[in-house]
């Protein structure tokens, strides 16, 4: 475990998944008891993958649903049962944001559009999802978890990998080779953090 205040590793690192798997997008559940992640189930080029969930200790690892991983670009928890995935569930399926139950494997579309590209983050109040949207002019948007109320946050793509502030007012974006940028989602005001 990485201590956020000191950036030191606490305890002894433990490998949680098998040695031969290629895994992506780990996300810890809001209650801190489970990890959701995507694992390739075949050659990487095939895109065959599965959404998996395990206990925080690596025990009770189980497959939830098979997916097409070449298009999946992010995962985050919506609540203690559902995760949000950006991409396609099947190779021929629609691109967009999908909520997947970690108990039943049921898929609920949130926002389906080929321009919904990923790099997503669920807001602290679990009401909105921030993500990159746009094929020709990508930028950050938010949408309600019910798929309504699409809002532009930026008019350009100033960074990647959004993270919400605890109060839900700001999005922090990683800027490659430039640092971290915070954007007020109500006013659009930008502040360079580092």
């Amino acid at each position: 475990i990485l201590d956020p205040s000191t950036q030191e590793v606490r305890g002894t690192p433990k490998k949680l998944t098998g040695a031969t798997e290629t895994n992506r997008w780990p996300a810890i559940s809001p209650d801190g008891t489970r990890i959701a992640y995507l694992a390739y189930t075949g050659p990487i080029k095939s895109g065959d993958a599965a959404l998996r969930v395990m206990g925080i200790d690596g025990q009770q690892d189980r497959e939830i649903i098979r997916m097409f991983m070449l298009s999946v670009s992010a995962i985050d928890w919506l609540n203690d049962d559902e995760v949000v995935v950006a991409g396609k569930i099947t190779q021929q399926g629609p691109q967009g944001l999908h909520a997947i139950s970690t108990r039943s494997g049921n898929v609920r579309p949130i926002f389906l559009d080929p321009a919904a590209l990923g790099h997503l983050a669920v807001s602290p109040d679990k009401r909105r999802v921030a993500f990159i949207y746009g094929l020709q002019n990508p930028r950050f948007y938010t949408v309600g978890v019910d798929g309504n109320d699409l809002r532009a946050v930026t008019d350009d793509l100033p960074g990647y990998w959004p993270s919400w502030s605890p109060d839900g007012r700001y999005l922090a974006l990683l800027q490659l080779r430039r640092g971290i940028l915070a954007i007020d989602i109500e006013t659009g005001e930008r502040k360079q953090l580092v």
Side-chain angles (χ1 to χ4, degrees):
I1 297 174
L2 184 66
D3 184 323
S5 63
T6 64
Q7 298 299 308
E8 293 179 8
V9 175
R10 293 187 309 189
T12 304
K14 176 183 175 186
K15 186 173 179 71
L16 298 177
T17 60
T20 61
E21 296 149 7
T22 303
N23 305 313
R24 299 279 191 272
W25 315 114
I28 297 174
S29 64
D31 65 7
T33 63
R34 295 178 296 153
I35 300 172
Y37 67 100
L38 296 170
Y40 281 103
T41 58
I44 291 175
K45 289 183 180 181
S46 74
D48 295 332
L51 172 65
R52 300 188 66 87
V53 173
M54 67 177 143
I56 197 75
D57 60 359
Q59 300 298 309
Q60 300 175 344
D61 189 357
R62 63 187 179 88
E63 182 176 300
I64 304 301
I65 187 174
R66 291 285 173 128
M67 302 179 67
F68 180 64
M69 190 139 141
L70 289 179
S71 68
V72 174
S73 61
I75 183 173
D76 197 4
W77 287 84
L78 183 55
N79 52 52
D80 285 331
D81 174 41
E82 292 179 304
V83 294
V84 177
V85 173
K88 294 181 180 183
I89 303 302
T90 64
Q91 191 169 2
Q92 293 77 30
Q95 173 80 20
L97 305 178
H98 309 271
I100 302 171
S101 169
T102 60
R103 290 187 178 92
S104 67
N106 290 339
V107 178
R108 176 176 59 86
I110 294 176
F111 180 74
L112 301 180
D113 189 310
L117 303 178
H119 290 253
L120 66 84
V122 176
S123 65
D125 64 6
K126 309 300 184 192
R127 294 182 181 186
R128 303 196 64 73
V129 180
F131 64 102
I132 294 176
Y133 181 67
L135 298 173
Q136 299 300 319
N137 183 22
R139 50 196 156 191
F140 271 95
Y141 276 74
T142 66
V143 68
V145 297
D146 61 0
N148 295 315
D149 196 22
L150 182 67
R151 296 182 201 166
V153 176
T154 64
D155 57 3
D156 61 353
L157 187 61
Y160 302 93
W161 307 118
S163 180
W164 291 84
S165 63
D167 64 3
R169 181 170 175 183
Y170 298 93
L171 276 177
L173 306 176
L174 174 64
Q175 295 183 297
L176 301 178
R177 298 181 186 87
R178 292 189 302 186
I180 298 174
L181 178 72
I183 299 175
D184 184 316
I185 64 163
E186 297 299 321
T187 67
E189 182 182 341
R190 298 176 184 207
K191 182 178 180 181
Q192 194 71 41
L193 300 178
V194 291

